[in-house]
Amino acid sequence: MTSPAVAILLATYNGADNLAQQLDSFAAQTHPPALILVSDDGSTDATRDILARFAAAHPAMPMQVLDGPQQGSAANFLSLLARCPEGIDMACFSDQDDVWLKDKIARAVAQLDADTPQLYCAHTWECDADLQGRRLSRSPRKPSGFRNALVQNIAAGNTIMLNRAGLGLARTAAAHTGKVAVHDWWVYQLMTGAGAQVIFDPEGVLLYRQHAGNLIGANRGWLATLRRLRHLFTGTFRDWNDINIAALEASSEHLTPENRALLRRFATGRAQNFGGRIAMLRDTGVYRQGALGQASLWLAALLGRL
């Protein structure tokens, strides 16, 4: 059988400090990528030079560097999806500051074997800026699905890979989707909304570097809990839901009939009074992972921050 052609979709912006290590981990993959597609969002440091040196040193590993839309990280990743070539069989997202384990691509390829849309994601090894103090990321306590995706993301973007059907769906949707809150959350919503299979690999597949520049970072500990509560009380969570709903409505033709109806019920119920919001949560069955996560969902409904 022909080995699947895998594209790495790498979004960069002033990533010179750690980018070389990430690129070296691409070169060490047991299943080499057929293409490294880079969208650089206007870097002013040595990012472009590092990319050029890597491309020159690895001529057998094609790299294409594009100019990003310069509208933030989420828009940069969606632009990569929209511009991913048709000849690619599978595609995976990459941040600029992680380090992939050598079998990351191979593990995903081995599990993406359907003709229908599939989304692969996995555990990560959370570590400090020097790649020390490693610990495995937490496992979801509840199943994946659209009812979860509407209010929470469990698919870490730096581990996501899409099979051919999933990539085609995401490429088509990204071309006419406007603003999204977070790119990986949108992909999780789109895929589950369309009835795609979600594969969660229990193995850690990369070193997830935690540092001051992380846009999101590992979602663990009291600081992360306090951050989530701040998002709730300030209305950020509600704003994200507004953005997500608009993005999903723009791609509603890709959703199953059941999930289109669920999206409508969720969207309308959020705007109702307290009793209406509680009824909506019960009717839709939307859920977050873990007891604290579920409690925060009900608190958001209580405070009108859903």
Side-chain angles (χ1 to χ4, degrees), residues 6-269:
V6 177
I8 297 175
L9 307 183
L10 171 62
T12 61
Y13 176 68
N14 288 344
D17 288 346
N18 302 304
L19 179 59
Q21 278 187 297
Q22 176 68 301
L23 294 173
D24 287 343
S25 73
F26 296 167
Q29 290 297 299
T30 58
H31 185 120
L35 171 66
I36 302 173
L37 187 64
V38 186
S39 181
D40 184 70
D41 233 12
S43 293
T44 56
D45 63 359
T47 291
R48 291 266 189 162
D49 293 336
I50 293 170
L51 292 169
R53 286 198 296 270
F54 179 85
H58 299 84
M61 192 171 294
M63 173 182 285
Q64 183 178 0
V65 181
L66 308 172
D67 293 326
Q70 299 191 37
Q71 297 173 7
S73 175
N76 200 13
F77 274 110
L78 259 64
S79 76
L80 279 164
L81 273 175
R83 294 181 287 178
C84 186
E86 291 289 341
I88 292 298
D89 296 312
M90 301 177 182
C92 47
F93 292 127
S94 176
D95 293 340
Q96 63 188 359
D97 48 8
D98 301 324
V99 173
W100 288 10
L101 302 186
K102 64 181 182 180
D103 62 347
K104 179 186 183 296
I105 292 178
R107 289 190 63 84
V109 167
Q111 298 178 65
L112 294 170
D113 57 1
D115 294 328
T116 54
Q118 292 177 305
L119 181 156
Y120 166 97
C121 55
H123 277 296
T124 65
W125 289 102
E126 299 164 359
C127 53
D128 63 23
D130 298 318
L131 306 180
Q132 302 301 309
R134 301 175 189 179
R135 63 179 181 178
L136 195 64
S137 59
R138 293 185 298 184
S139 298
R141 298 182 183 181
K142 300 175 184 177
S144 60
F146 192 56
R147 285 176 169 79
N148 177 224
L150 276 175
V151 292
Q152 184 183 29
N153 178 39
I154 63 167
N158 53 2
T159 72
I160 285 177
M161 185 182 287
L162 302 173
N163 70 345
R164 177 182 283 274
L167 174 59
L169 169 60
R171 183 195 289 115
T172 300
H176 61 252
T177 296
K179 183 180 180 181
V180 302
V182 188
H183 72 283
D184 49 4
W185 192 1
W186 173 79
V187 169
Y188 179 45
Q189 290 181 331
L190 176 69
M191 291 295 150
T192 55
Q197 178 190 10
V198 176
I199 300 166
F200 194 95
D201 191 337
E203 295 294 322
V205 298
L206 59 84
L207 305 182
Y208 184 14
R209 196 191 304 264
Q210 303 297 299
H211 57 82
N214 285 123
L215 286 179
I216 295 181
N219 194 14
R220 187 191 296 217
W222 286 107
L223 287 177
T225 299
L226 291 173
R227 185 169 61 247
R228 290 194 298 271
L229 287 174
R230 184 176 71 248
H231 289 158
L232 190 156
F233 284 111
T234 60
T236 301
F237 180 57
R238 180 186 58 204
D239 294 342
W240 284 344
N241 284 332
D242 288 339
I243 294 168
N244 289 340
I245 289 168
L248 287 169
E249 288 175 341
S251 301
S252 61
E253 71 272 19
H254 301 299
L255 307 183
T256 66
E258 176 187 357
N259 287 333
R260 280 198 298 271
L262 179 62
L263 175 63
R264 286 194 296 269
R265 180 72 180 93
F266 179 69
T268 57

Side-chain angles (χ1 to χ4, degrees), residues 268-286:
T268 57
R270 293 171 60 241
Q272 295 176 348
N273 59 22
F274 171 71
R277 296 193 297 271
I278 295 301
M280 179 273 291
L281 289 183
R282 289 173 175 163
D283 292 346
T284 60
V286 296

